[in-house]
Every structure is written in structure tokens, then in C-alpha cells.
Amino acid sequence: MSDQNGLAIITGASTGIGLELARCCAAHGFSLLIAADEPAIEQVANDLSAGGATVETVQVDLATEEGVDKLHAAVKGRPVSALLANAGIGLGRSFLDQDYARARRVIDTNIVGTTYLIHKIGNDMRRRNAGRILITGSIAGFVPGSFQAVYNGSKSFLNSFSFALREELKDTAVTVTCLMPGATDTEFFRRADMMDTKVGTEEKDDPTDVAKAGFEAMMKGEGDVVSGWKNKLQSSLANVTPSETLAEQHRKMAEPGTAEH
């Protein structure tokens, strides 16, 4: 079964949505090149290989150009059928109270590293006139993220960037899809230091369902997918709600101390 769909690159594949996207790719006959910045990526490879997939790993920091170059070098000139640019991190607390190095890392991971990787792989795809790109944006990108200001801003960039790139490539056989999940049951909120917030402690979407929706949209070449009916409603309301109101509403979810006990 493995290899029938070609090579898929999945970033941030050690946990959460990225892990589930890797599982989707393996189940649909892609060979995999999976990347993350932690050793857990090796166990993911072992598990997927046990199921019959062909899997290579790169443990690399995708917040740096050197890390992206290392991942691109691991392709070894092979045609990439699908790039699932999923790596991303969050950060809670008010912007001025954050350690700036951590805030900068959100930007470098979510925006700089992602766009650099897409530029490299996307050019390879355009030369071949074939390929699929899936970018993990977020419905957070529709909302000014009080107490998540840098993270929401980074996702706003990715949402916008994906549609612009899709339009630029519309006369080619390269497709661009944006997956826009809501709050998902992953390590995200713990790593973002948000377990004392309402959004960090309330019920969340299943990453398996989110990844499946994104993968299917990518395979169909669709422009975007918002996973879950609640998220669809929230994104629709965001388009007609004043930004000041959205920022005030986000405070009630993300401000430290808002956790539901």
C-alpha cells in the first residue's frame, strides 16, 4: 500500500493534529517524511512503520532557516506529492507580560519557518506542476486574540497567506488548502501555559476528526475547511462582529484565571 500516492511531508507530526495528519497520509498510501522538534517523532515513526507505512524522520527546529534547510535536504530531490505544513506553537498571557523570546519563537515557528518551507517545496511543486499543500491555520485567525495576541496574529497571517497563494497558483496543478480548526484536544494549551483559562480547560475537538477533515479537503483540492459546526458558526459570526467586541469576548476565554473549575 505504501508509496502509491508519493511522498508526503508532515511537520509538527509528533503529537496532536500533525500526528493524526501523518496517520491519514499513511492510511492513504503516501510514504512519509515527518518532522518535529522533539524525540517523540521517532516513536511515531515506529508506530506508523509497524502499520506498513514507509516513514523517515527529521528531528529539527522549524523556527530556524537551518532547520527548514535540513528538512528540505532530507527530501533528496524527490518529488513531494503533499506538504502538510502543520508545525505551530501558542503562547498565553498578555503580550507585555510574555517573555519576548517566547513570543518571537511563535512568530518564527508559525510564520517565518512555515512560509520558508512552503517557498522551497512550493517552487519544487510548481516546476513539476503537481502537488498539494495543506496549511494549518485556525479560526483564531478571525479573532483579535486578547491574551493570545501573537498567536492569533500568526494564524491570521497563515489564513490570509493560504488564500493568496492559492489564487497565485490557480492556473497550475498545485493546490493550497487551509485547515482552520478551533480549540482541539492536544498538548497546545499546556505548552502555551493556558491551563488556568476557560479555553484551556473546556471541552475541545478531537484531533482525529480535525485531521480527517483537513486531509479530505486537501485531497479534494478545496480552499479551506473549518472543522466542526461550532467553529463554522464562530467563524461566520466573526466576519460580522466588530473587532473590539471580538477582542473583549476573547478575553473572557483566554485571560488567566478564567478556567472553569
Side-chain angles (χ1 to χ4, degrees):
M1 179 184 72
S2 189
D3 302 338
Q4 68 188 33
N5 270 331
L7 178 64
I9 298 174
I10 307 98
T11 64
S14 56
T15 60
I17 295 171
L19 170 57
E20 299 303 330
L21 286 171
R23 287 174 173 159
C24 287
C25 288
H28 286 78
F30 287 93
S31 58
L32 310 182
L33 176 58
I34 58 176
D37 62 356
E38 55 188 1
I41 196 70
E42 299 300 335
Q43 185 58 52
V44 172
N46 291 339
D47 293 344
L48 293 173
S49 297
T54 300
V55 188
E56 301 169 58
T57 64
V58 181
Q59 186 179 334
V60 66
D61 184 358
L62 294 173
T64 67
E65 287 193 2
E66 294 81 7
V68 173
D69 286 339
K70 183 178 177 181
L71 175 56
H72 188 247
V75 176
K76 298 176 182 175
R78 291 171 292 179
V80 177
S81 297
L83 169 61
L84 294 86
N86 169 78
I89 56 174
L91 186 62
R93 314 282 164 184
S94 67
F95 172 66
L96 295 181
D97 291 332
Q98 290 170 349
D99 174 64
Y100 182 71
R102 292 187 69 190
R104 171 65 185 268
R105 186 165 180 79
V106 172
I107 296 169
D108 287 344
T109 303
N110 297 6
I111 298 178
V112 181
T114 299
T115 53
Y116 183 41
L117 178 61
I118 291 170
H119 191 267
K120 295 181 81 69
I121 301 296
N123 267 296
D124 296 341
M125 288 179 170
R126 187 174 62 173
R127 279 190 288 270
R128 292 180 9 253
N129 196 33
R132 306 175 191 275
I133 298 172
L134 177 67
I135 300 171
T136 301
S138 175
I139 65 167
F142 297 121
V143 180
S146 310
F147 299 90
Q148 276 185 288
V150 174
Y151 172 76
N152 283 37
S154 74
K155 290 299 183 175
S156 179
F157 173 90
L158 289 177
N159 292 353
S160 174
F161 173 77
S162 69
F163 279 102
L165 182 60
R166 179 179 174 84
E167 175 64 21
E168 291 174 3
L169 292 170
K170 72 176 184 179
D171 295 327
T172 75
V174 180
T175 62
V176 181
T177 304
C178 188
L179 169 60
M180 294 182 281
T184 306
D185 189 11
T186 68
E187 291 291 300
F188 175 89
F189 293 96
R190 182 186 62 79
R191 292 176 173 177
D193 192 22
M194 295 185 67
M195 296 310 294
D196 61 346
T197 68
K198 182 176 185 293
V199 69
T201 53
E202 65 185 5
E203 186 177 354
K204 300 175 181 64
D205 296 332
D206 186 331
T208 303
D209 296 335
V210 172
K212 183 180 178 182
F215 180 82
E216 290 177 351
M218 178 191 76
M219 294 302 289
K220 293 175 184 175
E222 295 175 350
D224 68 303
V225 56
V226 177
S227 57
W229 70 267
K230 288 183 180 179
N231 298 323
K232 289 182 172 68
L233 176 61
Q234 186 175 335
S235 62
S236 297
L237 290 174
N239 288 325
V240 295
T241 304
S243 294
E244 187 173 2
T245 301
L246 291 172
E248 182 180 4
Q249 292 172 346
H250 199 278
R251 169 191 282 268
K252 296 174 183 177
M253 298 191 305
E255 186 174 13
T258 55
E260 297 179 338
H261 298 291

